[in-house]
């Protein structure tokens, strides 16, 4: 006789991400988590400021208010039975690029 019970959960916070300012938000996605999952909880582990996690109890959420630096966020499932971390790197804005336009030729007397 074979009996199958609930599958133990395994959290998966998704791949690491890199963005550049002025972008200051990312989407965290834990949909790669497996097993019988009854709850999700996203939290910030480290980073240069405290950004806003829009819906910390959802499988997928947006984080806003990021500044330059490296962040680590954690996804815990089923009250911490399993957890996974993801690193978000926020690079500075690229420097401006000057563009004077194409070369021009004029003929006198114009």
């Amino acid at each position: 006789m074979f009996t199958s019970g609930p599958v133990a959960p395994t959290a998966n916070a998704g791949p690491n991400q890199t963005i550049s300012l002025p972008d200051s938000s990312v989407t965290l996605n834990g949909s790669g988590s497996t097993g019988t999952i009854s709850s999700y909880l996203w939290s910030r582990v480290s980073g240069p400021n405290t950004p806003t996690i829009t819906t910390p109890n959802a499988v997928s959420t947006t984080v806003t208010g990021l500044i330059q630096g490296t962040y680590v966020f954690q996804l815990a499932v089923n009250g911490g039975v399993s957890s996974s971390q993801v690193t978000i790197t926020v690079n500075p804005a690229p420097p401006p690029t000057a563009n004077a336009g194409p070369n021009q030729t004029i003929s006198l007397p114009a």
Side-chain angles (χ1 to χ4, degrees), residues 20-39:
S20 294
L21 295 172
D23 291 338
S24 62
S25 65
V26 295
T27 298
L28 303 178
N29 190 338
S31 64
S33 301
T34 58
T36 305
I37 299 174
S38 58
S39 67

Side-chain angles (χ1 to χ4, degrees), residues 31-93:
S31 64
S33 301
T34 58
T36 305
I37 299 174
S38 58
S39 67
Y40 296 89
L41 181 60
W42 290 98
S43 60
R44 181 185 68 90
V45 175
S46 64
N49 73 336
T50 305
T52 301
I53 301 174
T54 308
T55 50
N57 295 315
V59 64
S60 179
T61 188
T62 301
V63 178
T64 60
L66 298 168
I67 62 172
Q68 182 180 340
T70 301
Y71 296 82
V72 176
F73 292 94
Q74 179 170 287
L75 172 63
V77 296
N78 294 4
V81 170
S82 178
S83 64
S84 175
Q85 294 184 344
V86 61
T87 300
I88 307 298
T89 303
V90 182
N91 291 325

